[in-house]
Amino acid sequence: MFHTPEDLAEISARSRGDLEQVQFAVLLRALAETRRTCVLEIRRRRLFKRIAIEAGTPVACESNLAHERFGSFLLRAGRLNETEYATSLSATITRGVPLGEILVERKLLTLDEVFRYLQQCLGKQLLDGFTWSDGEFALLNEPMTVPAPLKVKVHQLIVTGLTRFAPQDQVDGVVMTLIGRELALHPAPAVAVDELRLDGCSSKICQVLGSSQHSLSEIAARAEHPIEEVARSVYALGMVGLLVTADELERIEQPGVITQPIPQIRFVPGSDTTQDEVMRLFLAHRRLDAFDLLGLDDSATSADVERAYATFSQRFAPWNYEAGPLAVVAEQARELFLAGSRGYAELADDERRASLRQRRRRATASAAAATTGPGRIRTDLLDSEAQHKKG
């Protein structure tokens, strides 16, 4: 049976559990619709993924599978050859900067391409989670370092993941409970039908249910698609909250029960900067401290901080980003504006500014000392080829 808002709130409040009882798709939806910020960790034997969730949206994923790393993704996609990948990876390790910055610096990819491929790589990492039918999960409140936060449309991800990758026994287990029941479209889902890219079968099912309720057998007859495909689409649409049973529909439509979708906030770009400038700073800003973000030396005074923040906030103010060619980087500009506000709050306080100055100088000294001693690369990535050769 499909999950109610109360079910999702209870799941989101958990600290850990079993993926056989709470599927990966349900976890993602529960976190999205309660807008929780946490780290979702899933484990299955030696495999693990750590997914950073910000206000319900996955923004990054770490995995111990070597083939899920960004460089390996670009290699498989044909955007890098072996030599380009090896030399760029070496530069990344030596200099301690993300691979994307190295690729842009070497003109192997543009900033737009780096961001687009990072999103695709994150999508691939997350879609793999839909194939996990067993394992454990934990919802951790500890922070996860995210150099360049990305944005994933959670409900679209769930629909795609379930229609393409969900184990058949999961689909059958839910669909069997729907036999003999009337189904309907949710009157106020968290995401509207027209906000999703649906395949032909799913679109047809939504059309069939657009005017009246129907049983599963009636839907299959009207959808004009194979019954297996119809069952999988019904499962996906129900799990994402677009379909409900007639009983649940009556509860939703009772007086006093108000269900509204989460409002979508739209931000707009300014005209005094370029798309590349926004993307370049966005991809790097979480590795920058407040001094670096606002473009200040650590000897800056309070007056210097105020002037720098005034310029920064004017440059990335989201209310100036309404239309025009830079609309594609609206969310990135908003993230930078908020980061700048946090940076100003830190530097405007004399004690916090002095503390940050001391940390910067200690870090510089530690980095200088580290370059004079021996070192080796440590990794816990699971590289199947390396393990096979070792065995």
Side-chain angles (χ1 to χ4, degrees):
M1 196 62 60
F2 304 134
H3 295 83
T4 65
E6 293 76 17
D7 295 334
L8 299 175
E10 187 274 327
I11 290 169
S12 177
R14 297 184 188 182
S15 59
R16 59 187 62 252
D18 193 317
L19 287 173
E20 287 184 304
Q21 299 175 353
V22 182
Q23 299 162 20
F24 181 64
V26 177
L27 280 171
L28 290 180
R29 183 183 167 204
L31 296 174
E33 296 189 17
T34 58
R35 301 183 67 82
R36 182 169 175 186
T37 296
C38 63
V39 173
L40 167 59
E41 181 177 276
I42 59 174
R43 288 184 174 271
R44 185 177 61 179
R45 295 177 286 280
R46 293 185 62 198
L47 307 182
F48 75 83
K49 295 178 189 285
R50 288 170 54 85
I51 303 163
I53 308 289
E54 293 186 358
T57 300
V59 296
C61 179
E62 294 177 354
S63 163
N64 66 339
L65 291 169
H67 71 269
E68 290 195 346
R69 308 296 282 190
F70 183 47
S72 299
F73 173 81
L74 293 174
L75 194 62
R76 293 195 309 277
R79 289 301 286 115
L80 296 179
N81 59 40
E82 292 281 357
T83 301
E84 292 168 339
Y85 173 55
T87 57
S88 298
L89 183 61
S90 176
T92 293
I93 295 170
T94 302
R95 294 170 50 186
V97 298
L99 178 62
E101 291 189 22
I102 299 294
L103 297 177
V104 172
E105 183 181 291
R106 297 185 174 190
K107 301 189 185 304
L108 295 173
L109 292 177
T110 66
L111 279 167
D112 282 345
E113 289 174 325
V114 167
F115 188 71
R116 185 170 69 252
Y117 284 124
L118 280 170
Q119 285 187 308
Q120 291 177 10
C121 183
L122 175 59
K124 294 276 285 187
Q125 291 172 318
L126 296 175
L127 286 172
D128 177 66
F130 291 91
T131 68
W132 292 30
S133 56
D134 63 339
E136 301 81 39
F137 73 86
L139 298 174
L140 311 173
N141 291 322
E142 63 187 53
M144 176 173 159
T145 302
V146 181
L150 306 169
K151 295 292 184 183
V152 173
K153 294 182 178 180
V154 179
H155 295 84
Q156 179 68 61
L157 178 75
I158 294 172
V159 170
T160 301
L162 293 179
T163 53
R164 294 175 57 187
F165 302 110
Q168 190 61 45
D169 59 340
Q170 286 184 6
V171 178
D172 295 341
V174 172
V175 172
M176 289 291 290
T177 66
L178 300 176
I179 295 176
R181 293 173 175 266
E182 296 280 305
L183 297 176
L185 289 180
H186 195 298
V191 60
V193 173
D194 58 7
E195 293 180 34
L196 299 173
R197 294 194 306 273
L198 301 177
D199 61 22
C201 183
S202 298
S203 296
K204 184 65 175 179
I205 290 171
C206 290
Q207 292 176 11
V208 169
L209 294 175
S211 56
S212 61
Q213 303 174 18
H214 292 285
S215 67
L216 190 60
S217 58
E218 292 172 337
I219 293 171
R222 293 167 180 259
E224 301 175 348
H225 282 78
I227 185 62
E228 297 82 3
E229 191 176 347
V230 170
R232 187 166 283 268
S233 292
V234 166
Y235 172 67
L237 294 173
M239 293 294 281
V240 83
L242 285 175
L243 299 189
V244 293
T245 62
D247 294 341
E248 179 64 14
L249 182 63
E250 289 182 9
R251 189 197 71 82
I252 293 171
E253 293 180 338
Q254 287 176 2
V257 178
I258 302 174
T259 306
Q260 295 179 343
I262 297 172
Q264 302 296 312
I265 303 173
R266 182 171 181 267
F267 297 98
V268 289
S271 58
D272 59 343
T273 189
T274 68
Q275 181 177 334
D276 273 3
E277 288 172 333
V278 175
M279 289 301 304
R280 191 184 305 278
L281 185 55
F282 173 77
L283 291 172
H285 81 280
R286 292 208 178 184
R287 293 183 292 106
L288 304 178
D289 63 25
F291 283 115
D292 291 333
L293 181 63
L294 297 181
L296 291 167
D297 185 84
D298 61 14
S299 62
T301 65
S302 296
D304 295 331
V305 170
E306 289 183 5
R307 283 193 294 269
Y309 175 63
T311 300
F312 186 94
S313 59
Q314 184 177 22
R315 183 181 181 191
F316 297 108
W319 51 83
N320 292 331
Y321 282 53
E322 194 164 57
L326 296 182
V328 293
V329 292
E331 290 190 8
Q332 290 74 36
R334 173 182 178 267
E335 183 81 20
L336 290 172
F337 178 79
L338 295 175
S341 300
R342 292 189 292 269
Y344 172 71
E346 181 176 16
L347 297 182
D349 184 290
D350 292 340
E351 290 185 7
R352 294 175 67 190
R353 185 168 73 250
S355 177
L356 176 58
R357 184 181 297 119
Q358 291 176 0
R359 293 199 302 272
R360 282 166 60 93
R361 292 174 181 175
R362 284 197 299 267
T364 301
S366 297
T371 60
T372 63
R376 66 188 181 92
I377 300 172
R378 300 176 181 270
T379 179
D380 61 350
L381 292 178
L382 298 184
D383 189 322
S384 55
E385 287 189 28
Q387 289 180 325
H388 175 74
K389 290 178 182 178
K390 184 177 180 180

